[in-house]
Amino acid sequence: MFSLLNKLPIFDTCPKGNYTPSAVASWADLRTDLPSYDIIRGGATSPQSPFLDVKSLWPSSSISFLLLSNSIFDKLLIDANLTSRSLELNSSPPKFIAKKLKMRTSGGIIGGRVVVEMRPFKGAEVGKVLAVLAGLPDKIGVPIWCGVDGGGIGVDLGKPLNVRDGSVAVLKDEICIFHVCAYSTSVEHLKLAGGAGGIDQIITSGEGSLLMTDVRLSEL
């Protein structure tokens, strides 16, 4: 419900107790086929994370869902000869807390921080970038903010969530393009749900762990 309220891109869901996303990857086992997994217990990531296999931890009553990764933005832009400098530096887009943004809550349980990704592009390229991303369905490619900095949404560019991404500084001729990071924002809210909602255990993909599906970008 939280993902639907906040228009996070749900790609597929699995029925109760099922672990195969048959609509997008009929061969996959969500318990074993991701590079790594994190376990959230009591509102915090388990110190034993990451896990390489969660088969023995998978509850029979589970309901699983897959979110579309923002990595598809980079693929589409590369195909259009548009590359953000974060990719040129072989770095993931840096992530930040957008302090001025709030997510809609579900049942009074899930709330919390909004995590955004930033991709810097030359000002002359921004119009082309927005045109490419506008072709994605349900407006998932539409940025949450564009500007010379992230002040309008409460982002401090000097404080990336991941220190290794701090090297992606914004140059004078560049514009910052921000998108909500569906994965990181969902994890933030799942931690709150686990702490306040009495959910004993939540299994998520590990940071940066993706499941490659059979669906092509042209089919979205």
Side-chain angles (χ1 to χ4, degrees):
M1 180 61 71
F2 169 77
S3 296
L4 293 175
L5 284 173
N6 291 285
K7 299 181 179 180
L8 298 182
I10 297 178
F11 195 42
D12 194 15
T13 58
C14 296
K16 183 177 180 180
N18 196 293
Y19 42 79
T20 296
S22 55
V24 299
S26 58
W27 47 267
D29 185 330
L30 293 181
R31 305 170 301 173
T32 59
D33 290 346
L34 274 71
S36 68
Y37 303 83
D38 285 335
I39 304 294
I40 298 172
R41 294 190 179 106
T45 301
S46 168
Q48 296 174 300
S49 292
F51 294 80
L52 299 180
D53 183 314
V54 291
K55 200 169 186 177
S56 63
L57 300 172
W58 197 270
S60 60
S61 59
S62 68
I63 297 177
S64 310
F65 61 93
L66 280 67
L67 294 172
L68 197 62
S69 170
N70 286 0
S71 297
I72 65 170
F73 299 164
D74 297 314
K75 172 62 172 135
L76 286 172
L77 293 169
I78 289 172
D79 289 347
N81 295 316
L82 297 163
T83 305
S84 70
R85 200 158 42 76
S86 54
L87 278 184
E88 291 175 352
L89 295 172
N90 197 30
S91 172
S92 300
K95 297 179 179 65
F96 305 89
I97 297 298
K99 296 180 180 179
K100 292 184 180 180
L101 298 182
K102 294 182 179 180
M103 300 301 273
R104 298 176 65 184
T105 61
S106 172
I109 296 176
I110 303 182
R113 307 186 299 178
V114 178
V115 182
V116 295
E117 293 179 347
M118 187 275 290
R119 292 171 174 81
F121 284 90
K122 293 180 180 179
E125 297 179 332
V126 170
K128 296 177 183 178
V129 170
L130 298 183
V132 170
L133 298 181
L136 288 167
D138 300 324
K139 297 182 179 181
I140 61 175
V142 176
I144 198 74
W145 179 260
C146 296
V148 295
D149 58 32
I153 53 174
V155 165
D156 183 346
L157 292 178
K159 296 181 179 179
L161 288 180
N162 195 330
V163 175
R164 71 183 181 186
D165 296 326
S167 60
V168 186
V170 180
L171 304 181
K172 290 183 178 180
D173 64 339
E174 291 181 331
I175 297 294
C176 304
I177 297 181
F178 293 90
H179 288 90
V180 172
C181 179
Y183 167 79
S184 296
T185 298
S186 296
V187 170
E188 287 285 325
H189 296 282
L190 288 171
K191 286 181 178 179
L192 283 178
I199 303 175
D200 295 330
Q201 175 177 278
I202 301 169
I203 300 173
T204 74
S205 58
E207 178 71 29
S209 291
L210 303 177
L211 177 71
M212 298 297 291
T213 73
D214 297 326
V215 180
R216 295 182 177 275
L217 283 176
S218 59
E219 298 172 335
L220 292 178

